[in-house]
Amino acid sequence: MHRRDVFLLCLCAACQVRAQPAAEALAAQLRAGRCVVLWRHAQTTPGVGDPLGFRLGDCASQRNLSAEGRDQARAAGEWFKARSLRPAGVRSSAWCRCRDTADLAFGSHVHWAPLDSTFGRAGEPDGRRQALLDRLAAMPAGSFEVWVTHQVNIGAFTGESVAMGEAVIVEAGGRVIGRSSFG
């Protein structure tokens, strides 16, 4: 074995050792409850927003999950399953990429309008923030939910930017207490 190969093996082992405690710490936060997983939909086909003339009820007219995104959503579901973490609820935006992310990871979801995209309408006052805060405040100890939504909404609510398939864990007051891609 070459020195470079030994170095790479040691580096991989060190990364795995560091990743495991972080995953378990995140799992412990979720088990403690009083929080939500605010998850940006998984990887999509290239683009920003949706094509002109898209229709919410017609997935063929929207930007959808790529094959990588479908795998990413399934892998996230396995991450939760491997740790015996069961969300009290899975809520999603009405957009197909969010619904598909939720369903591939957890098997089902409930549409919740405050998670719908505000892309191009971010300045409109509509009570979304308060609806999210109210639901967070009602989250009991030992319970968490998963909310699948869009970057524009996560950024407006938390001030955080997340990649596709990445999530922030948000506590009852709306403060970010964790971050993960569930990989």
Side-chain angles (χ1 to χ4, degrees), residues 77-108:
E78 289 301 317
W79 186 94
F80 281 85
K81 190 176 189 178
R83 290 161 182 79
S84 299
L85 292 167
R86 291 181 189 85
V90 178
R91 297 172 179 273
S92 174
S93 160
W95 272 246
C96 295
R97 57 188 170 269
C98 293
R99 293 178 4 213
D100 291 347
T101 297
D103 291 347
L104 288 167
F106 298 103
S108 66

Side-chain angles (χ1 to χ4, degrees), residues 98-170:
C98 293
R99 293 178 4 213
D100 291 347
T101 297
D103 291 347
L104 288 167
F106 298 103
S108 66
H109 73 279
V110 172
H111 171 241
W112 192 34
L115 299 174
D116 289 349
S117 179
T118 60
F119 189 74
R121 306 177 287 128
E124 293 178 16
D126 65 359
R128 286 173 197 261
R129 180 173 183 74
Q130 194 57 53
L132 298 175
L133 287 170
D134 290 348
R135 182 85 189 164
L136 263 166
M139 196 62 50
S143 184
F144 72 94
E145 287 188 348
V146 174
W147 299 350
V148 185
T149 190
H150 309 266
Q151 166 53 37
V152 66
N153 297 4
I154 294 170
F157 186 64
T158 67
E160 299 281 328
S161 180
V162 294
M164 287 186 230
E166 188 176 24
V168 289
I169 303 1
V170 182

